Amino acid sequence: MPVWDLTFFYNSPHDERINKDLEEGLNRAKQLRQKYYNKLSDPNLSSSQLKNFFVECEELFTKVGLTIQYASLSYASDTSNELYQKLAAICDDYESKIEMELSFWKPSILKQSNTNLEEFMESEELKQYKHVIENLIKSKKHVLSADAEKVLAAMYPSSRGGFQDLYERLTSSYTFEIEIDGMIKTFTEPQMRSLRMHQDKDVRRRAMKILFDRYEQDQLVIEKTFNSIVKNYDTESSLRNFQEPISMRNLENEVDDNIVKTVIEVTTDNTPLVHRYYNWKTKKMGIPLTLADIYAPLEKEKKEYSFEEAKNLVLEAYYHFDKEFGEIVDSFFTEKRIDSDIRKGKRGGAFTSYVVPNKKPFILMNFTGNMNDVMTLAHELGHGIHGVLASKQNVWNYHPPLVMAEVASVFGEMLVMDAVLPTLSEEERIAFIASKIEDTFATMFRQNMFARFEISSHKMISDNGSATWKELSNLYSQELKIMFGDSVIIPDEYHFEWSSISHMFHTPFYVYAYNFANLLVLALYEQYKQEGRSFVPKYKELLSSGANDSPDRLLKKVGIDINQKAFWKRGFEFIEREFLNKLD
């Protein structure tokens, strides 16, 4: 199993350059504050002076960003390692101090008259930063004073950030004992979750009960952690004059509140598709299904893949789509930028890390050998392609908002699905389509359920001052019933599942972006099937654009209008036509 090579950044966590680079970054941040604090608010500020500020910040972000990325990757590889914990804490401290020093820039620029701001936005000299300035103008009523911004930046590590770190350390330390084939085995959380695909229903159900019971044991800590994160996030959104807490994330994602509400409503309206599928699967398997069985394999023998087999499948699919895509994917393997090994202390789940536009993203995943892991590899490599192609942008325009960040990853899964289907027998084809439906439901309906839970739980905590473990679990139970109806049995321990959804702790209101992106991808992929090779350059341009324009304008260039409710309905029509109808 490949393990990444982080010597790309530094020789080791003991490398003297780490502290040197952090200290140099902090000193440069202080110099920028001293140099530009008054200058940015000066009515006589010129376009060239503002450009110099952006450029100097880019140099700082690039320098310190790689150091912080190294610490983050090291810590994710083994959250129990005290050296990595210390390194991550040091970097968090420096990052906070740097953000404190630079917290002045938005309030300072926004002291400029509207006329000046409009002129900066249209300036030829600042054309690379046009969208940065446009977003700044949109955020004007939500930006606080320089002093208030400094306080928020200073307090983050010991408030919301501190609780997020506590949750990650706690849950990453979990190990689970389970008896399989007469032997007691000790598993990590990713290994436990992979047992949802086990052939034996008893193993599946015991695994999920053991998993969620472990979270329940820490209910006091997790309840307090969630409440604290929610209250801190919601207080900040209120201070920033947002109508609702989710609106703060929506502004960051550059999507209108009404569009997000529409996506959530349309998805909820289409939950009968979930009920239809699981009623079909119940008949197919011949047993009453519980939530622990929703990913149970239909094949008599579970098909497993070595990492090498998964690698070759994914490489072939990406090369078939486009040679440059294939070469980018290949570089992740040859340059050792993937860590797929499973070990105690390693962060669960999967992610792709790209901080600055240097064409060198890194991928973490936990490969257990099932088809879901093959798709996860395709998914994360899609993120990696996005990070590489968008490297033509500057730091300010590099990271796409969350609603666009998941497009390349889900598109990659579709490419691999198309590559795999022709190689399968009829029985395998049905099983694979079913697996893809389940994966799609997990990315759309399930994430939509999480989003609804987040909105409701934030309101509950806001209205009542806090929410107990039982109240939050009851709230989650209601959402489970909406998504699944009577199509599956909901075991009691699943009421605690919300506590294991890390995104709701790490990045409040992140989850709707998965559903948003999946619906976008269904439209994009349908377009690709219709247009063939002529679609590829347009798609590459979309990914290469990074965040240099708003999502709605970037998508209009490829013929998609996200402001139309009818557009969002098309995705569910695609699922019914291309997936569900092929099972009957």
Side-chain angles (χ1 to χ4, degrees):
M1 293 281 260
V3 177
W4 54 31
D5 180 6
L6 299 185
T7 57
F8 169 80
F9 299 93
Y10 295 101
N11 295 329
S12 78
H14 300 285
D15 196 320
E16 293 178 356
R17 292 177 300 154
I18 294 175
N19 284 332
K20 182 181 175 183
D21 289 346
L22 288 170
E23 194 61 31
E24 181 182 332
L26 179 57
N27 287 333
R28 291 182 71 175
K30 291 177 179 177
Q31 292 166 8
L32 283 170
R33 183 179 183 87
Q34 186 175 15
K35 181 177 179 180
Y36 288 102
Y37 187 91
N38 293 318
K39 189 177 290 185
L40 293 182
S41 60
D42 188 334
N44 296 315
L45 178 70
S46 66
S47 295
S48 60
Q49 289 174 320
L50 182 53
K51 180 181 178 180
N52 288 339
F53 169 75
F54 285 135
V55 170
E56 289 179 50
C57 279
E58 285 177 54
E59 294 169 354
L60 166 61
F61 296 155
T62 300
K63 184 79 171 177
V64 178
L66 290 173
T67 309
I68 293 171
Q69 184 181 16
Y70 173 71
S72 174
L73 293 175
S74 299
Y75 176 60
S77 69
D78 185 0
T79 60
S80 64
N81 185 300
E82 290 185 3
L83 178 60
Y84 295 159
Q85 291 174 6
K86 184 176 180 181
L87 179 60
I90 289 171
C91 283
D92 285 346
D93 186 50
Y94 270 94
E95 184 177 18
S96 177
K97 289 176 179 176
I98 289 169
E99 287 179 357
M100 281 171 56
E101 295 296 336
L102 298 180
S103 59
F104 73 92
W105 79 270
K106 286 184 180 181
S108 294
I109 294 178
L110 288 173
K111 288 181 181 178
Q112 296 285 340
S113 67
N114 290 338
T115 301
N116 284 355
L117 290 171
E118 293 288 343
E119 288 178 358
F120 288 142
M121 192 170 69
E122 300 302 329
S123 165
E124 180 66 22
E125 196 166 8
L126 288 165
K127 64 180 180 180
Q128 284 187 312
Y129 307 99
K130 179 175 181 176
H131 193 53
V132 180
I133 299 168
E134 180 185 27
N135 282 338
L136 186 61
I137 294 171
K138 288 180 180 178
S139 70
K140 190 169 185 176
K141 68 178 182 179
H142 305 297
V143 175
L144 306 178
S145 69
D147 287 342
E149 292 289 350
K150 186 175 182 180
V151 169
L152 284 177
M155 295 297 292
Y156 182 82
S158 58
S159 54
R160 189 159 83 239
F163 280 105
Q164 289 164 344
D165 183 53
L166 171 64
Y167 177 83
E168 183 169 306
R169 289 197 190 193
L170 175 69
T171 57
S172 295
S173 71
Y174 288 167
T175 56
F176 308 85
E177 289 190 349
I178 183 169
E179 182 180 340
I180 301 178
D181 298 329
M183 295 178 62
I184 301 295
K185 298 186 178 183
T186 301
F187 282 169
T188 63
E189 182 165 334
Q191 289 173 311
M192 288 295 282
R193 289 187 181 275
S194 73
L195 292 177
R196 292 176 297 179
M197 279 73 80
H198 198 279
Q199 288 287 347
D200 187 338
K201 70 177 186 300
D202 179 58
V203 172
R204 294 193 299 264
R205 295 172 185 181
R206 281 191 293 113
M208 290 301 97
K209 180 168 175 52
I210 291 169
L211 176 68
F212 295 133
D213 281 352
R214 181 67 185 85
Y215 278 85
E216 186 192 18
Q217 288 173 29
D218 286 324
Q219 63 175 272
L220 183 65
V221 176
I222 295 176
E223 173 195 306
K224 178 63 176 176
T225 297
F226 187 72
N227 273 273
S228 298
I229 289 170
V230 167
K231 288 164 81 170
N232 181 272
Y233 185 89
D234 292 4
T235 298
E236 182 180 340
S237 72
S238 177
L239 289 172
R240 293 189 181 282
N241 301 309
F242 285 100
Q243 190 172 358
E244 299 175 38
I246 195 173
S247 302
M248 186 159 71
R249 183 69 63 203
N250 294 345
L251 180 67
E252 188 178 331
N253 285 342
E254 299 185 54
V255 288
D256 186 84
D257 285 2
N258 289 328
I259 293 177
V260 175
K261 287 178 181 176
T262 296
V263 173
I264 291 174
E265 288 170 3
V266 170
T267 305
T268 305
D269 289 344
N270 279 276
T271 51
L273 295 178
V274 179
H275 310 163
R276 172 184 166 185
Y277 170 73
Y278 283 109
N279 284 325
W280 172 87
K281 187 169 185 176
T282 295
K283 292 177 183 177
K284 185 76 174 175
M285 296 193 71
I287 59 169
L289 297 182
T290 76
L291 276 177
D293 304 313
I294 61 174
Y295 302 115
L298 293 176
E299 309 102 312
K300 292 178 181 177
E301 292 186 11
K302 188 175 96 173
K303 188 169 185 179
E304 294 189 351
Y305 298 82
S306 68
F307 188 83
E308 191 67 19
E309 289 171 329
K311 166 188 168 182
N312 291 334
L313 268 174
V314 173
L315 259 176
E316 183 179 346
Y318 275 115
Y319 263 116
H320 178 74
F321 177 74
D322 179 71
K323 181 183 178 183
E324 184 181 7
F325 274 40
E327 290 171 347
I328 292 171
V329 167
D330 195 35
S331 70
F332 279 86
F333 300 103
T334 58
E335 296 176 6
K336 297 182 178 179
R337 288 187 278 117
I338 298 178
D339 188 330
S340 64
D341 189 34
I342 292 179
R343 54 190 180 271
K344 183 180 177 181
K346 181 180 175 183
R347 178 176 161 179
F351 66 78
T352 303
S353 169
Y354 51 97
V355 176
V356 297
N358 63 352
K359 299 185 179 181
K360 302 293 180 185
F362 280 71
I363 290 173
L364 177 143
M365 63 177 296
N366 292 269
F367 189 84
T368 61
N370 55 50
M371 177 53 78
N372 276 2
D373 291 338
V374 177
M375 287 299 179
T376 297
L377 181 61
H379 181 102
E380 297 304 332
L381 285 165
H383 280 307
I385 290 168
H386 203 167
V388 170
L389 291 179
S391 289
K392 65 171 62 176
Q393 304 297 331
N394 60 49
V395 170
W396 299 91
N397 291 330
Y398 182 46
H399 288 278
L402 294 178
V403 292
M404 296 296 289
E406 295 296 334
V407 166
S409 53
V410 180
F411 195 93
E413 291 185 53
M414 299 290 285
L415 290 173
V416 172
M417 183 188 76
D418 266 3
V420 170
L421 275 173
T423 68
L424 305 177
S425 65
E426 178 63 17
E427 183 181 351
E428 289 173 332
R429 187 185 69 82
I430 292 294
F432 183 69
I433 291 174
S435 175
K436 184 57 186 173
I437 289 172
E438 291 162 12
D439 188 50
T440 302
F441 285 178
T443 313
M444 295 172 64
F445 291 103
R446 185 170 157 81
Q447 301 300 326
N448 191 66
M449 176 179 69
F450 296 160
R452 285 171 54 91
F453 170 79
E454 273 197 283
I455 293 168
S456 298
S457 62
H458 279 242
K459 187 175 188 309
M460 176 185 287
I461 291 169
S462 175
D463 290 346
N464 303 325
S466 66
T468 65
W469 174 270
K470 184 176 181 180
E471 288 171 333
L472 291 166
S473 299
N474 286 340
L475 188 63
Y476 188 74
S477 173
Q478 294 170 21
E479 291 300 331
L480 285 171
K481 290 173 183 173
I482 290 172
M483 176 172 169
F484 292 98
D486 296 325
S487 63
V488 298
I489 298 165
I490 302 173
D492 290 344
E493 63 270 13
Y494 265 86
H495 300 169
F496 316 140
E497 185 183 29
W498 64 270
S499 64
S500 72
I501 311 303
S502 60
H503 276 317
M504 296 194 297
F505 291 80
H506 293 285
T507 313
F509 300 110
Y510 182 112
V511 290
Y512 77 76
Y514 285 108
N515 182 31
F516 196 107
N518 211 313
L519 287 166
L520 286 179
V521 168
L522 293 177
L524 286 168
Y525 203 76
E526 192 169 24
Q527 197 170 332
Y528 162 55
K529 301 290 280 185
Q530 292 170 353
E531 297 179 9
R533 291 293 169 192
S534 64
F535 172 82
V536 176
K538 290 189 290 187
Y539 180 62
K540 289 170 78 171
E541 180 59 32
L542 177 68
L543 300 187
S544 299
S545 298
N548 72 3
D549 208 344
S550 64
D552 62 326
R553 288 198 290 261
L554 289 175
L555 289 164
K556 278 180 181 175
K557 292 179 182 178
V558 292
I560 289 175
D561 185 359
I562 62 175
N563 293 289
Q564 299 298 318
K565 189 172 184 177
F567 163 75
W568 299 108
K569 291 180 179 180
R570 279 169 46 195
F572 299 100
E573 293 167 359
F574 179 94
I575 292 170
E576 187 167 24
R577 182 179 68 250
E578 298 297 326
F579 293 159
L580 287 172
N581 289 349
K582 291 182 178 179
L583 295 177
D584 295 333

Short mmCIF file of all heavy atoms in Angstrom, two decimals, residues 495-524:
data_model
loop_
_atom_site.label_atom_id
_atom_site.label_comp_id
_atom_site.label_asym_id
_atom_site.label_seq_id
_atom_site.Cartn_x
_atom_site.Cartn_y
_atom_site.Cartn_z
N HIS A 495 -29.48 6.44 15.45
CA HIS A 495 -29.88 7.77 15.88
C HIS A 495 -28.66 8.59 16.30
O HIS A 495 -28.72 9.82 16.34
CB HIS A 495 -30.86 7.68 17.05
CG HIS A 495 -32.12 6.94 16.71
ND1 HIS A 495 -33.04 6.54 17.67
CD2 HIS A 495 -32.62 6.51 15.52
CE1 HIS A 495 -34.04 5.90 17.08
NE2 HIS A 495 -33.81 5.86 15.79
N PHE A 496 -27.54 7.90 16.59
CA PHE A 496 -26.33 8.58 17.02
C PHE A 496 -25.39 8.87 15.84
O PHE A 496 -24.31 9.43 16.04
CB PHE A 496 -25.56 7.73 18.04
CG PHE A 496 -26.41 7.12 19.11
CD1 PHE A 496 -26.16 5.82 19.56
CD2 PHE A 496 -27.46 7.82 19.68
CE1 PHE A 496 -26.95 5.23 20.54
CE2 PHE A 496 -28.25 7.24 20.68
CZ PHE A 496 -28.00 5.95 21.10
N GLU A 497 -25.79 8.49 14.66
CA GLU A 497 -24.88 8.59 13.51
C GLU A 497 -24.40 10.01 13.27
O GLU A 497 -23.28 10.24 12.83
CB GLU A 497 -25.57 8.04 12.24
CG GLU A 497 -24.64 8.01 11.04
CD GLU A 497 -25.35 7.56 9.78
OE1 GLU A 497 -26.58 7.78 9.65
OE2 GLU A 497 -24.68 6.98 8.90
N TRP A 498 -25.24 11.00 13.56
CA TRP A 498 -24.87 12.39 13.33
C TRP A 498 -23.53 12.73 13.98
O TRP A 498 -22.77 13.55 13.45
CB TRP A 498 -25.95 13.33 13.89
CG TRP A 498 -26.11 13.24 15.38
CD1 TRP A 498 -26.93 12.41 16.08
CD2 TRP A 498 -25.40 14.00 16.37
NE1 TRP A 498 -26.79 12.58 17.44
CE2 TRP A 498 -25.85 13.56 17.65
CE3 TRP A 498 -24.43 15.00 16.31
CZ2 TRP A 498 -25.35 14.09 18.84
CZ3 TRP A 498 -23.94 15.53 17.49
CH2 TRP A 498 -24.39 15.08 18.74
N SER A 499 -23.26 12.10 15.12
CA SER A 499 -22.05 12.42 15.88
C SER A 499 -20.78 11.96 15.18
O SER A 499 -19.68 12.36 15.56
CB SER A 499 -22.13 11.80 17.28
OG SER A 499 -22.15 10.39 17.21
N SER A 500 -20.92 11.11 14.16
CA SER A 500 -19.75 10.60 13.44
C SER A 500 -19.52 11.30 12.11
O SER A 500 -18.60 10.93 11.37
CB SER A 500 -19.92 9.09 13.20
OG SER A 500 -20.91 8.84 12.22
N ILE A 501 -20.35 12.29 11.80
CA ILE A 501 -20.22 13.01 10.52
C ILE A 501 -19.25 14.16 10.72
O ILE A 501 -19.62 15.26 11.16
CB ILE A 501 -21.59 13.51 10.01
CG1 ILE A 501 -22.62 12.38 10.07
CG2 ILE A 501 -21.45 14.07 8.60
CD1 ILE A 501 -22.24 11.13 9.30
N SER A 502 -17.99 13.95 10.39
CA SER A 502 -16.93 14.89 10.76
C SER A 502 -17.09 16.26 10.11
O SER A 502 -16.71 17.27 10.70
CB SER A 502 -15.56 14.30 10.41
OG SER A 502 -15.45 14.03 9.02
N HIS A 503 -17.63 16.31 8.89
CA HIS A 503 -17.77 17.60 8.20
C HIS A 503 -18.61 18.59 9.00
O HIS A 503 -18.37 19.79 8.96
CB HIS A 503 -18.39 17.41 6.81
CG HIS A 503 -17.39 17.04 5.76
ND1 HIS A 503 -16.16 17.63 5.66
CD2 HIS A 503 -17.45 16.12 4.77
CE1 HIS A 503 -15.50 17.11 4.64
NE2 HIS A 503 -16.25 16.18 4.09
N MET A 504 -19.61 18.09 9.71
CA MET A 504 -20.47 19.00 10.47
C MET A 504 -19.72 19.62 11.65
O MET A 504 -20.14 20.65 12.17
CB MET A 504 -21.73 18.26 10.94
CG MET A 504 -22.59 17.79 9.78
SD MET A 504 -24.27 17.28 10.24
CE MET A 504 -23.96 15.89 11.32
N PHE A 505 -18.64 18.99 12.05
CA PHE A 505 -17.80 19.53 13.11
C PHE A 505 -16.68 20.40 12.52
O PHE A 505 -16.41 21.48 13.02
CB PHE A 505 -17.18 18.39 13.93
CG PHE A 505 -18.19 17.63 14.76
CD1 PHE A 505 -18.98 16.64 14.19
CD2 PHE A 505 -18.34 17.88 16.11
CE1 PHE A 505 -19.91 15.92 14.94
CE2 PHE A 505 -19.27 17.18 16.88
CZ PHE A 505 -20.05 16.20 16.29
N HIS A 506 -16.07 19.92 11.46
CA HIS A 506 -14.91 20.61 10.89
C HIS A 506 -15.29 21.86 10.09
O HIS A 506 -14.64 22.90 10.19
CB HIS A 506 -14.12 19.67 9.98
CG HIS A 506 -13.45 18.55 10.69
ND1 HIS A 506 -12.32 18.70 11.44
CD2 HIS A 506 -13.77 17.24 10.79
CE1 HIS A 506 -11.95 17.54 11.96
NE2 HIS A 506 -12.84 16.63 11.60
N THR A 507 -16.34 21.73 9.29
CA THR A 507 -16.72 22.83 8.39
C THR A 507 -18.23 22.91 8.34
O THR A 507 -18.87 22.29 7.47
CB THR A 507 -16.17 22.59 6.96
OG1 THR A 507 -14.80 22.20 7.05
CG2 THR A 507 -16.30 23.84 6.11
N PRO A 508 -18.85 23.64 9.26
CA PRO A 508 -20.32 23.72 9.28
C PRO A 508 -20.90 24.11 7.92
O PRO A 508 -20.38 24.99 7.24
CB PRO A 508 -20.58 24.81 10.33
CG PRO A 508 -19.42 24.71 11.26
CD PRO A 508 -18.24 24.38 10.38
N PHE A 509 -21.95 23.41 7.53
CA PHE A 509 -22.69 23.63 6.28
C PHE A 509 -21.86 23.33 5.03
O PHE A 509 -22.15 23.83 3.95
CB PHE A 509 -23.25 25.06 6.22
CG PHE A 509 -24.20 25.36 7.34
CD1 PHE A 509 -23.85 26.25 8.35
CD2 PHE A 509 -25.43 24.73 7.42
CE1 PHE A 509 -24.70 26.52 9.41
CE2 PHE A 509 -26.30 24.99 8.48
CZ PHE A 509 -25.93 25.89 9.47
N TYR A 510 -20.84 22.48 5.20
CA TYR A 510 -20.08 22.00 4.04
C TYR A 510 -20.92 21.03 3.21
O TYR A 510 -20.86 21.04 1.98
CB TYR A 510 -18.83 21.28 4.54
CG TYR A 510 -17.89 20.74 3.47
CD1 TYR A 510 -16.64 21.29 3.29
CD2 TYR A 510 -18.25 19.67 2.65
CE1 TYR A 510 -15.77 20.81 2.33
CE2 TYR A 510 -17.40 19.18 1.68
CZ TYR A 510 -16.15 19.75 1.53
OH TYR A 510 -15.29 19.26 0.56
N VAL A 511 -21.70 20.19 3.89
CA VAL A 511 -22.21 18.96 3.29
C VAL A 511 -23.12 19.18 2.07
O VAL A 511 -23.13 18.35 1.17
CB VAL A 511 -22.95 18.11 4.34
CG1 VAL A 511 -21.95 17.52 5.33
CG2 VAL A 511 -24.01 18.91 5.08
N TYR A 512 -23.86 20.29 2.02
CA TYR A 512 -24.77 20.45 0.88
C TYR A 512 -23.99 20.59 -0.43
O TYR A 512 -24.53 20.36 -1.52
CB TYR A 512 -25.72 21.64 1.07
CG TYR A 512 -25.13 23.01 0.84
CD1 TYR A 512 -24.89 23.49 -0.44
CD2 TYR A 512 -24.84 23.86 1.91
CE1 TYR A 512 -24.37 24.77 -0.65
CE2 TYR A 512 -24.32 25.12 1.71
CZ TYR A 512 -24.08 25.57 0.42
OH TYR A 512 -23.56 26.82 0.21
N ALA A 513 -22.70 20.94 -0.32
CA ALA A 513 -21.89 21.11 -1.52
C ALA A 513 -21.76 19.80 -2.29
O ALA A 513 -21.65 19.81 -3.53
CB ALA A 513 -20.50 21.65 -1.15
N TYR A 514 -21.76 18.66 -1.60
CA TYR A 514 -21.66 17.37 -2.29
C TYR A 514 -22.88 17.15 -3.19
O TYR A 514 -22.76 16.74 -4.35
CB TYR A 514 -21.57 16.23 -1.27
CG TYR A 514 -20.22 16.10 -0.60
CD1 TYR A 514 -20.04 16.46 0.73
CD2 TYR A 514 -19.13 15.60 -1.31
CE1 TYR A 514 -18.80 16.33 1.34
CE2 TYR A 514 -17.89 15.46 -0.70
CZ TYR A 514 -17.73 15.82 0.62
OH TYR A 514 -16.51 15.69 1.23
N ASN A 515 -24.06 17.39 -2.65
CA ASN A 515 -25.28 17.21 -3.43
C ASN A 515 -25.32 18.20 -4.59
O ASN A 515 -25.64 17.85 -5.73
CB ASN A 515 -26.49 17.40 -2.51
CG ASN A 515 -27.80 17.18 -3.23
OD1 ASN A 515 -27.89 16.38 -4.16
ND2 ASN A 515 -28.82 17.89 -2.81
N PHE A 516 -25.00 19.46 -4.28
CA PHE A 516 -24.96 20.52 -5.28
C PHE A 516 -24.06 20.10 -6.44
O PHE A 516 -24.45 20.16 -7.62
CB PHE A 516 -24.41 21.79 -4.61
CG PHE A 516 -24.63 23.07 -5.35
CD1 PHE A 516 -25.58 23.98 -4.90
CD2 PHE A 516 -23.89 23.40 -6.47
CE1 PHE A 516 -25.77 25.19 -5.55
CE2 PHE A 516 -24.09 24.60 -7.14
CZ PHE A 516 -25.03 25.50 -6.68
N ALA A 517 -22.83 19.65 -6.10
CA ALA A 517 -21.87 19.28 -7.14
C ALA A 517 -22.31 18.04 -7.90
O ALA A 517 -22.11 17.95 -9.12
CB ALA A 517 -20.50 19.05 -6.50
N ASN A 518 -22.91 17.08 -7.21
CA ASN A 518 -23.34 15.85 -7.88
C ASN A 518 -24.39 16.14 -8.93
O ASN A 518 -24.35 15.60 -10.05
CB ASN A 518 -23.89 14.87 -6.84
CG ASN A 518 -23.66 13.43 -7.25
OD1 ASN A 518 -23.91 13.05 -8.38
ND2 ASN A 518 -23.19 12.62 -6.32
N LEU A 519 -25.33 17.02 -8.60
CA LEU A 519 -26.35 17.39 -9.58
C LEU A 519 -25.73 18.14 -10.76
O LEU A 519 -26.15 17.96 -11.91
CB LEU A 519 -27.42 18.24 -8.89
CG LEU A 519 -28.35 17.47 -7.95
CD1 LEU A 519 -29.14 18.43 -7.06
CD2 LEU A 519 -29.29 16.57 -8.73
N LEU A 520 -24.72 18.96 -10.48
CA LEU A 520 -24.01 19.63 -11.57
C LEU A 520 -23.33 18.61 -12.47
O LEU A 520 -23.38 18.71 -13.71
CB LEU A 520 -22.94 20.58 -11.00
CG LEU A 520 -23.39 21.89 -10.38
CD1 LEU A 520 -22.17 22.66 -9.88
CD2 LEU A 520 -24.17 22.74 -11.37
N VAL A 521 -22.69 17.62 -11.85
CA VAL A 521 -21.94 16.63 -12.62
C VAL A 521 -22.86 15.80 -13.51
O VAL A 521 -22.51 15.49 -14.65
CB VAL A 521 -21.13 15.71 -11.67
CG1 VAL A 521 -20.60 14.51 -12.42
CG2 VAL A 521 -19.99 16.49 -11.05
N LEU A 522 -24.03 15.46 -13.00
CA LEU A 522 -24.96 14.68 -13.83
C LEU A 522 -25.30 15.45 -15.11
O LEU A 522 -25.39 14.85 -16.19
CB LEU A 522 -26.24 14.37 -13.04
CG LEU A 522 -26.06 13.41 -11.85
CD1 LEU A 522 -27.38 13.25 -11.12
CD2 LEU A 522 -25.53 12.07 -12.31
N ALA A 523 -25.45 16.76 -14.99
CA ALA A 523 -25.72 17.58 -16.18
C ALA A 523 -24.48 17.66 -17.08
O ALA A 523 -24.58 17.53 -18.30
CB ALA A 523 -26.15 18.98 -15.75
N LEU A 524 -23.32 17.86 -16.46
CA LEU A 524 -22.09 17.95 -17.24
C LEU A 524 -21.77 16.63 -17.94
O LEU A 524 -21.36 16.61 -19.11
CB LEU A 524 -20.92 18.34 -16.33
CG LEU A 524 -20.88 19.79 -15.85
CD1 LEU A 524 -19.86 19.95 -14.72
CD2 LEU A 524 -20.53 20.73 -17.00
#
